[in-house]
Amino acid sequence: MNQKERIDQLFEKGMLSREDLARLITERNEEDSQYLFEKARIRQQEHFGRDIYLRGLIEFSSYCRNDCFYCGLRRSNTKASRYHLTKEEILACAKQGHELGFRTIVLQSGEDLSYSDDDIADIVYSIKQAMPDTAVTLSIGEKTYEQYLRWYNAGADRYLLRHETADSEHYRLLHPRELSWENRKRCLYDLKKIGYQVGAGMMLEAPYQTVENIVEDLYFLKELQPHMIGTGPFIAHKDTPFRDMPSGGSELTIFMLGILRLMFPKVLLPATTALGTIDPHGREKGILAGANVIMPNLSPVSVRGKYLLYDGKISTGEEAAESIVRMTERVESIGYRVVQGRGDAPDVQIHQIT
Ligand code: SAM
């Protein structure tokens, strides 16, 4: 099979053998990429038209009990400035987002044990009470089935937990001993079982990553069938053990967005902040390769510069209102439109709180 035939097969069947996927990735060139992106846009527009969904991201705490080797929030990073927002501050950000037109709020943080399970449930419940037309997404790490269930019952609709890498050996090279691929995977299946719309995804060009690892990620995603796949390049942070590891670029992530759109035609596919950080036009290129979600930051400007997963993160000084205007203009400049609404994955049953 040549490259064009591989892309055609991916377009028609949504799947390729491991060997062909690996070759599609390693042998890619500019011409293949353009062909892949054309096909990806066909699938994207078939299911989503030219609509781009927005998620308002509230990074509510930079404290973390974990020590992931790549992340600037890791507990051993004594140079990080830490903050956590109160329930009132989080609600104020969510309300501001609602006024700006957001109908999905993503609450993300490090694994901060100072919020009890009741606190999280109360924050979720209060947002849903105040803004019943808004979907609430949690992204607060690895928890037990009971915790996830509790927050689902409080009204949380979605959960983002990137799987990072689906190879247990590679997982071990990126994380300390106490974290395991098996537990990450258990969490994702628990979330699905409970009924959350689930987001998974891998970090591309992470240290020690091989093409076989990426193929394993794709096969894992096929098995999991998440509603969203968030992927972006690894970017080194100066105060982590991976400070001297090379950061990824935008090219591979954008190529992988094209592949993901063909393998998962209806999936929600964000053009991530990491992609926009490594390439000033990364998010537009991501949309033109099949992405259909962007996640502007709604955190208060006073804390933005403290949620630093990696060096050089963009939009740390911009007000939420400013960033939405700018993102809308950028999306329109490439022929797409930002839509207001929850932006659920197609065909999902919306979570009703009983
Ligand atoms: N604590 C939660 C968790 O573990 O899912 C959510 C916050 S965590 C900081 C969000 C994501 O940031 C991770 O899933 C990881 O993929 C990404 N991330 C962390 N450090 C990164 C880096 N140096 N470069 C790129 N992405 C990074």
Side-chain angles (χ1 to χ4, degrees), residues 70-71 73 108-111 139-141 160-162 164 184 203 233-235 307 309-310:
Y70 46 83
C71 185
L73 302 188
Q108 193 183 80
S109 68
E111 293 199 17
S139 179
I140 57 177
L160 300 184
L161 185 78
R162 286 190 178 180
E164 317 294 2
R184 198 82 176 169
M203 195 165 33
F234 157 75
I235 304 174
Y307 196 84
L309 316 179
Y310 44 78

Side-chain angles (χ1 to χ4, degrees), residues 206-220:
Y208 315 112
Q209 186 178 55
T210 63
V211 165
E212 288 68 33
N213 294 152
I214 301 176
V215 171
E216 199 53 44
D217 288 324
L218 296 173
Y219 268 69
F220 167 68

Side-chain angles (χ1 to χ4, degrees), residues 248-263:
S250 61
E251 191 271 332
L252 179 66
T253 292
I254 295 166
F255 192 77
M256 292 310 302
L257 287 172
I259 291 185
L260 287 165
R261 176 55 69 213
L262 295 190
M263 289 182 74

